[in-house]
Amino acid sequence: MNQSNAPKACAGRVAAPIVGAASCDLQAAVALLRRGEILGIPTETVYGLGADATNGLACARIFEAKGRPSFNPLIAHCASLEMALGQGVFSKKAIGLAEAFWPGALTLVVRRHPASAVADLVTAGLDTIAIRVPDAPIMRALIEGLGAPIAAPSANRSGHVSATTALAVAEDLGGSLALIIDAGPSPVGVESTIVDMSGKTPVLLRPGGLARADIEAVLGEPLDSPTHPAGDRPSAPGMLAAHYAPSCPVRLEAAGARPGEGLIAFGPGAACGPGGSGGPGDAVRIVNLSPGGDLREAAANLFAALRSLDAAGVAGIAVMPIPATGLGEAINDRLRRAALGRLAETR
Ligand code: TXA
Ligand code: MG
């Protein structure tokens, strides 16, 4: 059922072909991922909107397709615990949970491994990373074929419920995807349980397909509830208490840089100008998110830009206006949070 390679009309756009998992050409699907395409992929919890997690542009397309007005960090799906160990730093307890429940409906938040090649957009610039080894064979086969994690949020448009059938994926997102793989209704039907293992105590960030009691039985201790300390600990998914924020002030809608400031520019001709005038020429360092004015490229470069200016020790970061259309909404949301986070700290 639902096996067709012929694109269908969907909400006025050409919809992605839906192919059954059993007849899916794995090499071709991996080739699409390598090209930076995004696919609808079944997992045992819900369908995922998957991209090569090491490809920043492909990950930017995920946010574009979902119409998310902000950059929530994504789950990096791995084929095995071994692959996961290359992406995150696991405590003994975290390894215990992984061994007990992977592959399965458990996502672990751990410190990001310094050697992980996952794009900054996947972790939303945080130094933690959410990792899951899914049980769905087709998803694991794609990850193995790609040789890298697949970043995948639930395959629904922002604000809609998670898709548990290929048809629901097609209805919600079909026009943005290169391919939808159909493995029938998701057997678990709710998202994975998310446990933060990056701090002193394990914290249940999101209840999901794996019961709290089962996790606590393996841990031998209760799971904490998310708290909102002033620090940088992520709280409930989708509502991180603190996002990555540079340690210096961030000034938005800047016409140019003041002396000592680093400058984030966007678009052609935005990164040059005379010095001493409060224009681009005064910046001690300039990063142009996308000289060609491409918002997808700007999204992919955003966190690295903030981080590199921060690391360069600039007195502040001035950000030139970035259009609020398409992915620009999420880019501006994140920049506003970076600016506000710093203000809140200094008050
Ligand atoms: O079952 C699932 O988990 C599905 C399938 C596709 O794997 N995925 C899913 O992804 O539900 P998504 O993006 O809809 O939800 C993942 C949640 C987000 O709300 C995000 O905030 C949270 O995980 N998350 C990701 N990285 C995090 C981190 N480093 N710290 C805290 N929360 C994180
Ligand atoms: Mg979701």
Side-chain angles (χ1 to χ4, degrees), residues 66 68 154 156 162:
K66 277 188 81 89
R68 244 185 207 175
S154 49
N156 53 281
S162 299

Side-chain angles (χ1 to χ4, degrees), residues 41-49 66 68 71-77 104-110 122-124 126-132 134 139 152-156 162 190-194 196 198 205-206 209 233-240:
I41 309 174
T43 86
E44 75 282 19
T45 54
V46 297
Y47 275 70
L49 177 55
K66 277 188 81 89
R68 244 185 207 175
F71 292 127
N72 252 349
L74 305 171
I75 297 172
H77 296 77
L106 174 69
T107 294
L108 295 173
V109 173
V110 296
V122 174
T123 56
L126 295 168
D127 59 3
T128 55
I129 181 169
I131 304 177
R132 178 163 100 84
M139 178 64 148
S154 49
N156 53 281
S162 299
V190 292
E191 299 90 344
S192 61
T193 302
I194 305 181
D196 183 357
S198 69
L205 292 183
R206 178 177 75 181
R233 190 152 177 117
S235 72
M239 300 188 301
L240 298 184

Side-chain angles (χ1 to χ4, degrees), residues 21-344:
S23 52
C24 173
D25 178 344
L26 208 62
Q27 303 297 331
V30 168
L32 289 173
L33 288 167
R34 280 197 209 292
R35 281 217 311 261
E37 299 282 356
I38 51 177
L39 318 184
I41 309 174
T43 86
E44 75 282 19
T45 54
V46 297
Y47 275 70
L49 177 55
D52 175 355
T54 64
N55 181 335
L57 280 177
C59 293
R61 293 177 79 159
I62 289 179
F63 291 97
E64 201 172 44
K66 277 188 81 89
R68 244 185 207 175
S70 61
F71 292 127
N72 252 349
L74 305 171
I75 297 172
H77 296 77
C78 293
S80 61
L81 175 56
E82 195 192 347
M83 184 185 263
L85 292 175
Q87 313 305 320
V89 180
F90 285 67
S91 63
K92 265 202 182 121
K93 279 183 188 173
I95 290 182
L97 287 181
E99 284 175 338
F101 298 114
W102 282 353
L106 174 69
T107 294
L108 295 173
V109 173
V110 296
R111 296 265 146 215
R112 183 190 168 132
H113 197 293
S116 169
V118 155
D120 281 339
L121 267 187
V122 174
T123 56
L126 295 168
D127 59 3
T128 55
I129 181 169
I131 304 177
R132 178 163 100 84
V133 175
D135 195 25
I138 185 76
M139 178 64 148
R140 282 217 310 280
L142 287 171
I143 300 165
E144 256 158 28
L146 185 65
I150 289 182
S154 49
N156 53 281
R157 279 190 67 79
S158 182
H160 293 193
V161 294
S162 299
T164 55
T165 63
L167 204 60
V169 178
E171 280 167 6
D172 228 20
L173 294 160
S176 315
L177 307 180
L179 180 71
I180 298 170
I181 302 172
D182 185 357
S186 314
V188 176
V190 292
E191 299 90 344
S192 61
T193 302
I194 305 181
V195 177
D196 183 357
M197 296 299 291
S198 69
K200 284 203 187 77
T201 54
V203 178
L204 178 66
L205 292 183
R206 178 177 75 181
L210 180 65
R212 167 198 278 268
D214 293 346
I215 300 167
E216 290 177 338
V218 169
L219 282 173
E221 64 182 304
L223 288 166
D224 267 359
S225 304
T227 47
H228 299 257
D232 61 354
R233 190 152 177 117
S235 72
M239 300 188 301
L240 298 184
H243 293 270
Y244 169 72
S247 57
C248 61
V250 175
R251 201 163 57 81
L252 304 180
E253 303 291 329
R258 294 173 184 155
E261 279 185 334
L263 181 71
I264 292 185
F266 174 82
C272 53
S277 58
D282 280 328
V284 287
R285 198 169 170 145
I286 299 172
V287 181
N288 194 323
L289 294 178
S290 171
D294 175 5
L295 286 165
R296 198 181 285 162
E297 184 185 28
N301 288 333
L302 177 64
F303 292 110
L306 286 168
R307 209 178 278 281
S308 73
L309 289 178
D310 202 14
V314 295
I317 298 175
V319 187
M320 294 180 97
I322 293 168
T325 51
L327 272 178
E329 194 184 354
I331 294 172
N332 280 297
D333 168 81
R334 180 42 47 99
L335 287 166
R336 269 195 301 276
R337 286 173 199 266
L340 278 174
R342 171 67 193 171
L343 274 181

